[in-house]
Amino acid sequence: MSGYLSLDCPRRLADSRMQMGSTNRDNNSLEEQISQLREQTVVLTRQLQEQQSKSSMLEHKLFIHNKSGLPNHHRLDEDLETILSDAARLGLVPGADTTHADDPQPGKPAHLAVAIIKLDDKFDMAVKTLKTSVTEWILYQVGTRASECVQPGEAIYHTKDDEFVLII
């Protein structure tokens, strides 16, 4: 019986070494796969950040007027539904009670006003006679000054080249 054990030990040792070699190869293969996955994760993260940046830039171009920096008619279209539903909830629609419990100043009448500000013929003359950069500067100044007058809860939009919409 002892001879059988002594013959069996070298074979077991060889089998164990083969299994260890196989395990080491498997570990190396797994480490390579993990390394590749990490590299792919870095690449995908970079691509995702680039996509988010592009999406943000496109959204800015879509919703912000490039000459005044104010929200444009696309943003007004999106915001209008919310503005009108808030106005209805607060009782600011025609024929509704003008005071409401959600009103920041209870007992004081609440109002919703929409003002359309259109630059006059003098601006049209400036567009025809001055450089584009000058008329763009005028629009930027109008937008900046108008936005300085807007209180929290109010909004101003630059809807056309010579038109602004103020919601109070």
Side-chain angles (χ1 to χ4, degrees), residues 1-140:
M1 186 78 125
S2 70
Y4 174 74
L5 287 176
S6 65
L7 290 176
D8 193 37
C9 283
R11 191 176 50 158
R12 284 186 183 176
L13 185 60
D15 287 346
S16 295
R17 286 184 181 156
M18 285 178 47
Q19 286 177 349
M20 284 178 48
S22 174
T23 303
N24 286 339
R25 282 191 299 275
D26 290 345
N27 284 343
N28 289 340
S29 175
L30 286 174
E31 287 176 6
E32 288 175 17
Q33 289 176 354
I34 289 171
S35 176
Q36 290 173 352
L37 287 173
R38 284 184 179 145
E39 290 173 10
Q40 290 174 355
T41 301
V42 168
V43 169
L44 289 174
T45 301
R46 237 184 258 131
Q47 289 175 346
L48 179 61
Q49 289 171 343
E50 289 172 6
Q51 282 297 108
Q52 288 172 336
S53 175
K54 287 178 184 177
S55 175
S56 177
M57 286 179 7
L58 286 174
E59 185 174 334
H60 185 269
K61 285 182 178 182
L62 179 64
F63 292 120
I64 303 297
H65 197 283
N66 63 339
K67 294 178 184 173
S68 65
L70 293 174
N72 63 14
H73 63 283
H74 294 295
R75 176 62 70 194
L76 176 62
D77 289 344
E78 286 200 356
D79 292 350
L80 202 54
E81 185 176 326
T82 304
I83 291 167
L84 292 176
S85 66
D86 287 347
R89 182 179 52 82
L90 293 171
L92 302 178
V93 292
D97 183 14
T98 59
T99 60
H100 194 273
D102 289 347
D103 193 354
Q105 298 175 354
K108 185 176 180 183
H111 303 282
L112 174 67
V114 177
I116 298 174
I117 304 166
K118 183 164 174 39
L119 302 180
D120 64 7
D121 293 335
K122 292 177 185 174
F123 178 73
D124 290 335
M125 183 61 72
V127 169
K128 293 175 185 173
T129 58
L130 299 174
K131 290 183 180 179
T132 304
S133 61
V134 174
T135 57
E136 288 177 359
W137 179 82
I138 292 169
L139 289 172
Y140 176 78

